[in-house]
Amino acid sequence: MKKLALFASGNGTNVQQISEYFANNNDVKVSCVVVNKKNCYVIERAKNLNIPCYYFNRKDFYESDKVLDLMKENEIDYIILAGFLWLIPNNLLMKYNNKIINIHPALLPKYGGKGMYGHNVHEAIVLHKEKESGITIHYVNEKYDSGDIIFQAKCKIEAKDSADDVAAKIHLLEKEYYPKVIEKVVKENK
Ligand code: GAR
């Protein structure tokens, strides 16, 4: 059994989808959710899903081993970022080399880097009149959005699409692919 920790900070639709996908899976389990915002809706979702949820502040992340210790206590095999926007500190990167995965709501290397997250990305896509966008699932390293790419999927953007329309298309792709890609990576590395 491989155990996942899901790191999030927002609405938590990806946390919900990943948790539901693995709910009755004998090989992969979502063991906990980790958040860095006190009032984010994902906390509510974790409660409803019956998954333990832990909050850590910036100091805990960057100046202590509290998060690493939690991962060890829970025997976590993979850290999955699902709308988690902080860089991952070195202690976690070292312990979880190639075992931390992120989803980005664009076709990296385009529309990545600091400040490019969530709705900002969709607004930039509309502003630049892109004809396509998509999702990128990638390994996490010490920089924003620059680890090795595992998977990408595209969608068409119409001239009339608003940033909300783009977001809706991206969320469909995330729902369809993120859990399956996680499952594939975990099974291939058995
Ligand atoms: C998702 O669209 C994810 O791709 C994005 O944040 C959203 C979280 O939504 N991640 C990034 O922008 C990372 N740079 P959710 O909280 O509903 O899962």
Side-chain angles (χ1 to χ4, degrees):
M1 167 75 78
K2 296 290 179 189
K3 295 181 182 165
L4 313 180
L6 309 184
F7 285 23
S9 68
N11 185 342
T13 57
N14 281 283
V15 163
Q16 181 98 32
Q17 283 144 17
I18 295 163
S19 303
E20 286 173 358
Y21 184 86
F22 291 116
N24 297 310
N25 193 301
N26 293 325
D27 302 314
V28 183
K29 177 187 170 180
V30 174
S31 291
C32 64
V33 172
V34 169
V35 301
N36 62 354
K37 272 200 199 152
K38 269 194 176 143
N39 297 314
C40 54
Y41 187 61
V42 66
I43 296 172
E44 197 64 30
R45 290 187 193 267
K47 206 181 284 168
N48 293 335
L49 288 158
N50 265 322
I51 300 171
C53 183
Y54 303 90
Y55 162 81
F56 293 102
N57 64 25
R58 193 169 272 280
K59 206 167 174 201
D60 298 332
F61 259 95
Y62 293 107
E63 296 172 36
S64 84
D65 280 334
K66 283 184 189 172
V67 182
L68 180 62
D69 291 344
L70 179 78
M71 298 299 101
K72 286 181 181 164
E73 277 158 32
N74 284 275
E75 299 173 327
I76 297 299
D77 298 291
Y78 286 85
I79 294 174
I80 307 298
L81 310 189
F84 187 83
L85 307 176
W86 290 356
L87 287 175
I88 298 299
N90 246 322
N91 58 351
L92 291 173
L93 286 175
M94 275 161 67
K95 165 85 177 153
Y96 290 96
N97 181 30
N98 271 344
K99 299 246 165 92
I100 308 179
I101 297 171
N102 181 41
I103 189 162
H104 186 78
L107 296 169
L108 291 174
K110 289 177 96 176
Y111 299 101
K114 195 166 167 48
M116 269 297 156
Y117 58 85
H119 220 69
N120 294 352
V121 177
H122 311 314
E123 280 166 20
I125 294 285
V126 170
L127 189 71
H128 290 96
K129 301 186 175 24
E130 293 288 351
K131 294 200 162 46
E132 64 175 19
S133 187
I135 57 167
T136 303
I137 298 170
H138 65 94
Y139 290 110
V140 171
N141 62 17
E142 71 287 358
K143 291 188 239 137
Y144 286 110
D145 305 323
S146 58
D148 289 348
I149 292 175
I150 302 167
F151 175 87
Q152 291 186 306
K154 292 179 183 174
C155 59
K156 283 206 161 54
I157 304 300
E158 310 291 339
K160 63 174 174 35
D161 282 349
S162 66
D164 283 343
D165 295 329
V166 177
K169 290 180 179 180
I170 296 299
H171 279 128
L172 281 180
L173 291 179
E174 294 184 336
K175 182 175 184 181
E176 160 100 39
Y177 291 110
Y178 203 16
K180 284 183 196 150
V181 171
I182 293 166
E183 185 173 36
K184 191 161 178 281
V185 169
V186 170
K187 289 196 168 160
E188 276 172 5
N189 287 328
K190 246 185 180 172

